[in-house]
RNA sequence: GAGCGCGUAGCUCAGGUGGUAGAGCAACGCACUUUUAAUGCGUGGGUCCUGGGUUCGAGUCCCAGCGCGCUCACCA
């Protein structure tokens, strides 16, 4: 990691301290101001004297190992089995069977425990998410092998050959013949019993979290299974996986604030995409009738247990389909993914069992009526939703009952209906629920309902109390689309920073004819949360965004009291 | 952005009403050839998040700040 030239990702710094600060901000080390100058000359950046002394002791052990004929950083080990394969094949074998067969194996892994016992000792290897005990004794590995064993530390990678047996307590164990040193842990591992528990350290040092806390590994194995299942579903139904721009001149396709970046040669600002939607629909215009994309979106907004500034979304579009088709598809897709990933449609989230095989459907208006809180008085009735006065009245009833929500009297009635829905219904939508028919004013890209032009053919689905997906019959009338964008611009003028921007090229694409199309986006991080029972989005993102951890020299001087 | 909670050794944590910092694991040394949170004896290890204040004296009390977590708001 340490690079002496004043270069960082192609940026040349004339002021070295500026480079240090930027590197610190990038998280590659802790900038410690003046103390840094001396530490820079060390072979490693230490966080404490303790760490430095451990590091130096272990460098000395490496030298001793070299004296024993071991390479300090060898480049391969030919294992005969992974540890999961050993368990799969021999967990059922008895001690007698192992004694007769005398199965010899070569396995490698990270040492997670060492129990030395004079001229013998046990150790535990971890690899591939599994653990296996090894037994090393002087009369089996010889003087040199045993000397090496004594130089090992918890965290080191080693390879061993030997035969399988069961110990007195019945544990499957490798009786080691030869010991090969593979790589040293120069830093001490966290405490072996409690592991790494500090939530901040776990997110910041995921590399440690992953090998110290096995359930973390499981979550990310399942996340990969989710992606695999989604691709399997769409690939087998004739959808083409595509990749569309993440750097866009106009950030469109969603109501959100974008990140801005800059291209030097073209000297132009670009936005990191907030959604791939408009590009995917251009592809449907181009004749790619069924497309999907799974990748990152970026939204320059708050961070919470359900929001990370970059998150992964699946979006798919299907020509000749409408939102009803997508409702059925959604129910089938979520069940399919659950079965592929967990082998069951049941999952537990926030201590509640959720059955992904049973879905409910409400229109947004029905949901508001159904979940209307008792303390807010009379339930709204359908006609009240039809005009601004009715909506204002129900908003006041709700407000007066003490439910806070963002009512904006100047905004279109539809915006307030959507706000009321979120305030009264969202928390109740624990079991899989589809909410359909959204107000036109919050849906600039959806097709209107033929018989109710103030409402659109759009649905969202909720599981665990939050939104996982959003779908609609796509608006394909270029003239109407241009009007919608114009209305959004007016909203933007009014101060709505998330109102949609005008995208003339997209309107032009519609001018060439978009077939009737259904499209949907599903939050993969949130889906993974549901399927793994993870309460925070940070638990399903390997490296969630964290504030850079700058130490004292980086901080603003505190004002004196 | 607001409220609440947390921040002490590499890690996990103790430190009533202020009196000068502790344990376990990890590390180092010694003993131990079927242990498994191995065991026994010994040693070293601290900017008590940062800055300021009160006080004879602050890990502890007060103020400000930083970081993280949770809840709320915005958002998917």
């Amino acid at each position: 990691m340490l690079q002496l030239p004043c270069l960082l990702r192609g940026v040349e710094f004339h002021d070295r301290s500026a480079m240090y600060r930027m590197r610190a901000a990038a998280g590659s080390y802790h900038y410690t101001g003046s103390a840094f100058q001396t530490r820079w000359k060390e072979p490693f950046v230490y966080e404490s004297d303790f760490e430095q002394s451990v590091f130096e002791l272990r460098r000395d052990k490496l030298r001793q190992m070299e004296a024993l004929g071991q390479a300090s950083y060898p480049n391969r080990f030919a294992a005969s089995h992974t540890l999961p394969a050993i368990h799969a094949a021999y967990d059922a074998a008895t001690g007698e069977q192992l004694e007769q067969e005398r199965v010899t194996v070569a396995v490698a892994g990270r040492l997670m425990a060492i129990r030395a016992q004079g001229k013998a000792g046990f150790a535990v290897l971890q690899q591939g998410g599994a653990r296996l005990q090894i037994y090393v004794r002087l009369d089996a590995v010889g003087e040199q092998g045993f000397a090496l064993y004594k130089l090992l530390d918890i965290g080191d990678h080693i390879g061993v050959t030997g035969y399988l047996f069961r110990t007195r307590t019945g544990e499957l164990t490798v009786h080691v013949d030869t010991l090969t040193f593979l790589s040293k842990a120069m830093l001490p591992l966290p405490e072996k019993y409690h592991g790494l528990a500090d939530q901040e350290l776990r997110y910041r040092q995921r590399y440690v979290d992953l090998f110290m806390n096995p359930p973390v590994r499981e979550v990310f194995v399942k996340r990969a299974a989710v992606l695999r299942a989604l691709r399997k579903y769409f690939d087998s139904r004739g959808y083409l996986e595509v990749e569309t721009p993440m750097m866009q001149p106009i950030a469109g396709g969603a109501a959100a604030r974008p990140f801005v970046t800059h291209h030097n040669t073209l000297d132009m600002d670009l936005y990191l995409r907030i959604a791939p939607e408009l590009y995917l629909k251009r592809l449907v215009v181009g004749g790619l009738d069924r497309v999907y994309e799974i990748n990152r979106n970026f939204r320059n907004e708050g961070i919470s247990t359900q929001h990370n500034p970059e998150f992964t979304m699946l979006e798919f579009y299907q020509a000749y389909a409408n939102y009803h088709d997508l409702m059925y598809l959604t129910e089938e897709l979520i069940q399919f993914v659950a079965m592929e990933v967990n082998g069951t449609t049941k999952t537990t989230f926030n201590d509640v069992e959720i059955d992904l095989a049973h879905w409910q459907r409400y229109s947004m208006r029905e949901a508001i009526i159904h979940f209307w809180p008792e303390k807010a008085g009379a339930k709204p009735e359908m006609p009240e939703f039809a005009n601004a006065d009715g909506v204002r009245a129900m908003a006041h009833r709700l407000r007066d009952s003490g439910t806070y929500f963002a009512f904006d009297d100047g905004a279109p009635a539809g915006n307030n209906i959507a706000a009321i829905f979120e305030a009264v219904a969202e928390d109740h939508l624990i079991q899989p629920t589809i909410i359909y028919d959204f107000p036109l004013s919050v849906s600039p890209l959806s097709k209107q309902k033929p018989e109710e032009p103030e409402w659109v053919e759009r649905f969202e689905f909720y599981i665990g109390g939050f939104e996982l997906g959003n779908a609609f019959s796509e608006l394909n009338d270029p003239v109407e689309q241009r009007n919608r964008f114009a209305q959004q611009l007016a909203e933007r003028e009014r101060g709505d920073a998330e109102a949609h921007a005008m995208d003339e090229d997209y309107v032009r694409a519609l001018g060439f004819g978009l077939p009737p199309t259904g499209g949907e986006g599903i939050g993969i991080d949130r889906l993974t949360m549901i399927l793994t029972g993870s309460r925070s989005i940070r638990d399903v993102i390997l490296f969630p965004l964290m504030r850079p951890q700058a130490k004292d020299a980086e901080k603003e001087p505190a004002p004196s009291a």
Side-chain angles (χ1 to χ4, degrees):
Chain A
M1 279 310 291
L2 302 188
Q3 302 156 8
L4 280 164
C6 290
L7 278 168
L8 174 63
R9 294 187 189 145
V11 181
E12 198 169 328
F13 288 92
H14 299 292
D15 167 14
R16 249 188 137 162
S17 68
M19 181 188 73
Y20 297 153
R21 282 195 301 276
M22 184 157 169
R23 288 179 60 103
S28 49
Y29 71 90
H30 299 303
Y31 179 70
T32 52
S34 57
F36 181 75
Q37 290 300 331
T38 53
R39 292 194 165 184
W40 187 252
K41 293 171 185 156
E42 304 288 349
F44 192 77
V45 178
Y46 307 108
E47 293 200 345
S48 67
D49 292 341
F50 172 83
E51 230 171 51
Q52 180 166 357
S53 67
V54 168
F55 201 99
E56 282 166 3
L57 271 162
R58 294 189 178 181
R59 291 182 97 199
D60 190 56
K61 284 182 174 178
L62 278 177
R63 283 189 283 269
Q64 293 180 52
M65 289 180 186
E66 283 169 355
L68 289 170
Q70 294 279 336
S72 49
Y73 285 96
N75 60 20
R76 89 185 289 265
F77 181 80
S80 63
H81 298 72
T82 63
L83 297 190
I86 297 263
H87 284 294
Y90 301 107
D91 273 355
T94 66
E96 292 77 33
Q97 287 167 335
L98 291 171
E99 211 169 309
Q100 282 165 13
E101 287 184 45
R102 190 136 176 138
V103 181
T104 62
V105 298
V107 293
R110 184 193 287 276
L111 280 169
M112 296 304 288
I114 296 174
R115 296 184 284 275
Q117 247 188 317
K119 295 182 175 58
F122 290 89
V124 176
L125 285 185
Q126 176 171 287
Q127 181 269 321
R131 289 186 170 201
L132 184 66
Q133 181 170 258
I134 64 171
Y135 179 54
V136 181
R137 43 189 294 167
L138 174 60
D139 51 17
V141 299
E143 293 285 350
Q144 290 215 331
F146 204 73
L148 172 62
Y149 170 74
K150 286 185 145 176
L151 288 169
L152 295 176
D153 288 295
I154 289 179
D156 290 359
H157 295 268
I158 61 165
V160 300
T161 62
Y163 60 90
L164 293 175
F165 76 111
R166 286 198 182 272
T167 62
R168 208 174 271 167
T169 53
E171 181 163 347
L172 187 66
T173 303
V174 180
H175 201 291
V176 177
D177 297 324
T178 63
L179 206 57
T180 307
F181 175 75
L182 298 179
S183 180
K184 197 141 199 64
M186 303 300 284
L187 298 172
L189 264 52
E191 199 239 12
K192 68 183 171 191
Y193 189 55
H194 298 93
L196 188 67
D198 185 281
Q199 205 52 250
E200 178 179 352
L201 286 176
R202 292 180 59 188
Y203 294 143
R204 286 188 191 280
Q205 302 186 35
R206 187 70 92 180
Y207 38 90
V208 178
D209 192 31
L210 276 166
F211 67 72
M212 288 305 298
N213 296 311
V216 174
R217 181 192 176 94
E218 275 308 301
V219 165
F220 291 103
V221 168
K222 281 196 175 181
R223 184 178 171 122
V226 169
L227 296 172
R228 209 157 45 237
L230 290 168
R231 290 196 163 98
K232 186 173 173 182
Y233 183 93
F234 287 104
D235 289 345
S236 67
R237 284 165 176 78
Y239 291 77
L240 190 70
E241 179 167 9
V242 298
E243 292 161 287
T244 61
M246 293 211 183
M247 297 197 300
Q248 306 176 348
I250 296 169
R257 296 165 67 182
F259 288 91
V260 186
T261 185
H262 186 81
H263 189 274
N264 288 339
T265 305
L266 298 182
D267 190 22
M268 69 183 295
D269 280 344
L270 287 162
Y271 299 101
L272 299 189
R273 75 172 178 199
I274 55 176
E277 169 147 0
L278 301 186
Y279 284 94
L280 291 173
K281 281 189 279 192
R282 283 175 171 96
L283 296 179
V284 180
V285 170
L288 304 181
D289 283 353
R290 295 183 171 204
V291 292
Y292 74 98
E293 178 163 12
I294 301 176
N295 218 319
R296 230 64 66 78
N297 289 335
F298 307 86
R299 298 189 183 176
N300 204 340
E301 286 164 359
I303 294 175
S304 79
T305 47
Q306 280 152 38
H307 301 83
N308 192 63
E310 57 179 299
F311 65 103
T312 299
M313 192 138 104
L314 157 72
E315 283 206 13
F316 62 92
Y317 290 81
Q318 180 176 337
Y320 315 117
N322 69 8
Y323 76 145
H324 291 293
D325 299 311
L326 294 188
M327 289 186 210
Y328 290 105
L329 185 152
T330 298
E331 295 182 3
E332 183 183 68
L333 173 67
I334 298 300
Q335 288 177 71
F336 175 79
V337 173
M339 288 303 293
E340 290 281 311
V341 173
N342 288 332
T344 169
T345 59
K346 300 257 173 66
T347 185
T348 301
F349 188 76
N350 276 341
D351 300 323
V352 178
E353 187 179 271
I354 291 173
D355 186 353
L356 301 171
H358 287 104
W359 290 70
Q360 290 183 294
R361 293 186 187 183
Y362 297 102
S363 73
M364 180 178 281
R365 284 165 286 185
E366 286 167 359
I368 290 172
I369 293 168
H370 187 265
F371 293 106
W372 190 258
E374 257 182 49
K375 61 180 182 179
K379 283 177 183 284
E381 294 184 17
M382 276 296 179
E384 282 190 80
F385 291 103
N387 60 72
D389 287 340
V391 173
R392 190 178 299 118
M394 76 176 81
H396 283 315
R397 289 214 294 286
L398 192 58
R399 268 259 168 106
D400 294 345
S401 76
T403 302
Y404 176 78
F405 68 102
F407 178 74
D408 178 356
D409 211 6
N415 293 45
N416 288 321
I417 293 172
I420 290 169
F421 161 74
E422 282 174 23
V424 304
E426 186 163 354
D427 290 347
H428 300 286
L429 306 178
I430 307 299
Q431 298 297 327
T433 307
I434 286 173
I435 302 293
Y436 61 93
D437 290 355
F438 275 58
L440 172 67
S441 66
V442 294
S443 312
L445 301 165
S446 313
K447 187 176 275 188
Q448 283 151 295
K449 288 171 69 71
E451 69 282 12
E452 284 188 301
E454 282 303 303
W455 295 83
V456 297
E457 294 191 354
R458 172 181 173 189
F459 73 87
E460 293 185 344
F461 70 95
Y462 290 79
I463 306 174
F466 54 78
E467 181 194 342
L468 264 83
N470 181 10
F472 35 89
S473 302
E474 304 296 337
L475 176 60
N476 58 351
D477 173 349
V479 175
E480 171 66 11
Q481 182 64 73
R482 199 164 195 292
N483 288 338
R484 300 275 190 95
F485 280 152
Q487 281 158 22
Q488 289 289 309
L489 287 184
E491 282 299 296
R492 193 170 274 244
E493 298 280 305
R494 216 175 61 80
D496 184 350
E498 287 158 6
H500 208 289
M502 173 66 75
D503 188 337
E504 295 283 8
D505 181 72
Y506 174 68
V507 174
R508 183 169 178 80
L510 294 186
F512 284 98
L514 173 69
T517 297
E520 178 163 346
I522 297 178
I524 301 308
D525 312 279
R526 291 181 176 184
L527 178 58
T528 305
M529 287 168 67
I530 295 293
L531 291 172
T532 59
S534 304
R535 289 163 187 251
S536 170
I537 199 168
R538 290 182 158 188
D539 294 325
V540 300
I541 292 175
L542 282 165
F543 299 101
L545 185 68
M546 304 285 278
R547 234 183 214 92
Q549 196 175 39
K551 292 202 169 166
D552 33 1
E554 275 291 283
K555 290 175 185 168
E556 296 292 315
S560 47

